[in-house]
Amino acid sequence: MSLFEHLKLIEDPRSHINLNHDLVDIIFLVLAAIASGCDGWQAIEEFGQENLSWLRKHRDFDNGIPTRHSIARIIKVIDTEILVMTLFSWANRLREASTKPLIAIDGKTLR
């Protein structure tokens, strides 16, 4: 399963009237922005605006990038435990596919 297929398993807690932006799009935006060094909601929004064409290579982003207030509000209502377990599950699938016993994220296996 891809990252996006894993993220689709997260329940969207928003009401039907607040679904202008796809939940998977928003989570992907936040993950990509954080991986790129962004450290706040405004920085995440700016990252999205500056990299929208790249983001659209991976997801639709039909309604563009949400405001920083919307991003924060949406991320804050997601069950953190489920998000973390989803990301762990995805990383574990990658590990299994590579037939490695573990994934070293600190670079020690490179030495």
Side-chain angles (χ1 to χ4, degrees):
M1 285 176 67
S2 72
L3 172 62
F4 302 125
E5 290 168 338
H6 276 82
L7 293 178
K8 287 178 187 176
L9 300 175
I10 297 173
E11 183 180 336
D12 193 340
R14 299 175 291 167
S15 73
H16 68 283
I17 60 172
N18 292 326
L19 299 176
N20 292 335
H21 300 280
D22 185 75
L23 182 63
V24 176
D25 289 354
I26 295 167
I27 296 172
F28 175 59
L29 165 64
V30 171
L31 292 174
I34 290 171
S36 297
C38 296
D39 60 356
W41 303 120
Q42 183 170 350
I44 292 170
E45 179 185 5
E46 291 170 359
F47 171 87
Q49 297 294 348
E50 293 169 3
N51 296 285
L52 185 55
S53 61
W54 177 80
L55 291 166
R56 282 189 168 150
K57 290 180 182 177
H58 304 283
R59 297 288 303 164
D60 291 333
F61 287 90
D62 290 332
N63 293 320
I65 301 298
T67 66
R68 65 182 179 270
H69 302 292
S70 294
I71 296 168
R73 188 171 46 251
I74 294 165
I75 294 298
K76 287 178 183 178
V77 298
I78 294 174
D79 186 330
T80 308
E81 280 188 41
I82 292 174
L83 176 60
V84 169
M85 292 308 296
T86 300
L87 294 173
F88 281 160
S89 175
W90 170 67
N92 196 43
R93 290 277 178 116
L94 292 176
R95 181 195 59 77
E96 289 171 349
S98 69
T99 65
K100 302 217 187 247
L102 58 96
I103 297 174
I105 57 173
D106 60 0
K108 289 182 182 174
T109 59
L110 297 176
R111 287 189 230 156

